[in-house]
Structure formats: structure tokens, C-alpha cells
Amino acid sequence: MANTESLEYLNQARVFIGTEQYDDALEYINKAIAVDKLNKELYVQKSIILANLDQYSEAIEELKNALKIDKTYAEAYFHLGNLCLMTGEQASGLESYNKAIANGFDDSQIFFNLGLMYEEDGNDELAIRNYTKAILKDPLRVDARVRKAKIFISNGKQQEALETLDELILADPDLYDGYHLKALLLADMGDLDGAATVLDEAIRLFPKDPSFQIDKVNIYVIREEASKARELVKLIDRYLLFS
């Protein structure tokens, strides 16, 4: 009976989480814990609620409560790693992530988070490695592909960046970043025709987005095709005027 009752309270809490009514969610998760104190999932849910209330220390304590019940609870280590990073405890965050992975947590998000952490530290090699792992776990992680491409670009690894951007466009043909970054990269590599071709394709796919038209103006300027640049600027101004 207690488990059924706690499940009802948990479901109520989740409804309130979904509507961002975290005080109400906290009330119901406390009721769930009161009737099912050994349910480790409830403490993770309470931690998530507390984190959304900016009560990070309390949220960390709830995760520790979950780990007292099950020292191998990978999801608790994952959330603990998130909170440690949010509170500036990077070493503890990394340790928690490693424990989560060691206990079988392999969701792409953990590798993406590690990529962000290493990127912020300036460790581009480990950032790339973890973004790659995130992509392997979820090929549709375009955010990891974008960050990976930008690191390659910033390190002058143009061919690696180009390959990553091609994969990005294949993974999400509707994403602005892929075409924009690829056009800029090709232009930087001196392939202005290639850059223009990428932008023409983007303009065909996104006719209402002036950003690609603006990028193409830059290509005309680099080519010293001033008249084409001026005509395109007039078209952009006209579009913006009536949009």
C-alpha cells in the first residue's frame, strides 16, 4: 500500500515539476518519501526540485541520501556531478561523473557535460574526446557537433572542422549553424566558390532567413564584386522593411 501511495505522490510531484510549480512539487515529494523512505528514486526527484528552487546544498544532501540506500546508483552520481559543477566544485563534479560512468551511466548528456567542462578549462583534446563520445551515444546531438567543429576551427584544424560540419548538416539539415560555419570556414580556406554554393543551398532551404544573404554579401565583398554586394544589400533591406 505504501509503495502505491508513494507512486501517486510522485506522479503528482512530476505534474507540478512539469508546470514549474516547484514548491508544490516539493510538498508532494516529501509526502512520497514519508511513506517510502527506502525509495532511492524519490531522493533524486527531490534533489531536482530543490535545484530548481536554487537550494543547491539541500539538493546535494538528497542525492547523498539516495547513495546511502544504493552506493552504485549511477543516476544519483550523475546529478551530483551536475550540482558540483554548478556550485564550482569541479574536482568533486568530475569524480561524481566518473563514478556514474563506472556504475553504468552512459547517457550522451554526461559526455557532453564533460566536454563543456574540459572546454572551459582549455583542454581541447579532452573536450573533443567527450563530445565525440556524446555523438556516438546519440548521433543527433547537434550541440556536441557544433562545439566540436568550433574547437577544430579555433585550433586551425580546418579539414577536421569541415568533416564535422558535413556530418552536422547530415544530422540536422535544418540547423543554421552548419551552413553558416561551413561557409565561413570555406571562405577562410580560400574556397569562395564552395562557400557561395553552401550559402545558395542554405538560402534555398531558408528563404525567409536574411542571415545567409548577409553571409553571401561578405563573399561578394571578398571577391571584390561590389555591384553584386550592393544589389543583395538592397534586397535584404527591402525584405527587412516588409517583414
Side-chain angles (χ1 to χ4, degrees):
M1 180 65 184
N3 288 337
T4 302
E5 189 177 355
S6 72
L7 181 59
E8 291 176 358
Y9 288 135
L10 174 59
N11 289 336
Q12 284 284 351
R14 285 172 170 163
V15 170
F16 284 122
I17 292 171
T19 56
E20 300 184 1
Q21 295 174 271
Y22 299 115
D23 288 319
D24 292 322
L26 184 59
E27 177 184 347
Y28 277 91
I29 203 67
N30 283 334
K31 289 180 178 179
I33 291 171
V35 297
D36 196 2
K37 291 183 174 63
L38 295 180
N39 188 334
K40 59 188 179 183
E41 180 186 353
L42 299 178
Y43 296 98
V44 170
Q45 289 295 319
K46 184 175 179 180
S47 174
I48 292 170
I49 294 165
L50 289 168
N52 279 287
L53 290 167
D54 297 329
Q55 298 179 29
Y56 300 121
S57 297
E58 294 86 344
I60 289 171
E61 289 305 311
E62 294 303 327
L63 292 172
K64 290 179 179 178
N65 287 335
L67 291 168
K68 287 176 184 176
I69 298 169
D70 182 359
K71 291 182 180 180
T72 67
Y73 192 17
E75 186 177 349
Y77 284 120
F78 168 66
H79 289 289
L80 186 58
N82 293 341
L83 287 169
C84 287
L85 292 184
M86 289 174 66
T87 55
E89 299 177 28
Q90 185 167 310
S92 296
L94 180 58
E95 180 183 357
S96 295
Y97 280 156
N98 286 335
K99 286 181 178 179
I101 295 168
N103 284 287
F105 192 91
D106 66 349
D107 188 273
S108 66
Q109 189 62 45
I110 195 168
F111 299 110
F112 182 77
N113 290 357
L114 282 166
L116 289 175
M117 185 191 75
Y118 285 121
E119 187 178 353
E120 289 173 3
D121 280 352
N123 192 331
D124 289 342
E125 182 179 350
L126 284 178
I128 288 288
R129 187 181 304 173
N130 280 281
Y131 288 141
T132 300
K133 288 180 181 178
I135 293 164
L136 288 172
K137 294 295 177 182
D138 181 2
L140 297 180
R141 287 294 310 232
V142 294
D143 49 358
R145 294 183 188 276
V146 169
R147 300 202 74 90
K148 187 177 173 181
K150 287 181 176 179
I151 292 174
F152 281 138
I153 291 170
S154 67
N155 282 280
K157 296 183 177 181
Q158 295 175 326
Q159 193 56 46
E160 291 92 335
L162 193 58
E163 291 172 3
T164 303
L165 291 170
D166 284 338
E167 292 168 358
L168 171 62
I169 292 170
L170 282 174
D172 188 353
D174 295 327
L175 187 70
Y176 166 83
D177 301 72
Y179 302 97
H180 174 69
L181 291 173
K182 185 177 179 180
L184 291 180
L185 177 60
L186 287 170
D188 190 53
M189 293 169 70
D191 186 0
L192 298 179
D193 290 340
T197 298
V198 170
L199 292 173
D200 286 339
E201 175 64 11
I203 291 167
R204 185 185 68 80
L205 292 170
F206 311 101
K208 295 183 179 180
D209 189 340
S211 303
F212 296 113
Q213 302 276 10
I214 294 169
D215 285 341
K216 195 164 184 185
V217 169
N218 293 329
I219 298 298
Y220 284 141
V221 170
I222 296 171
R223 282 175 164 176
E224 298 183 353
E225 297 176 341
S227 61
K228 288 184 178 180
R230 282 194 294 270
E231 287 300 314
L232 188 51
V233 168
K234 289 178 183 178
L235 286 174
I236 295 170
D237 288 341
R238 194 176 305 132
Y239 171 79
L240 293 174
L241 181 64
F242 292 102
S243 62

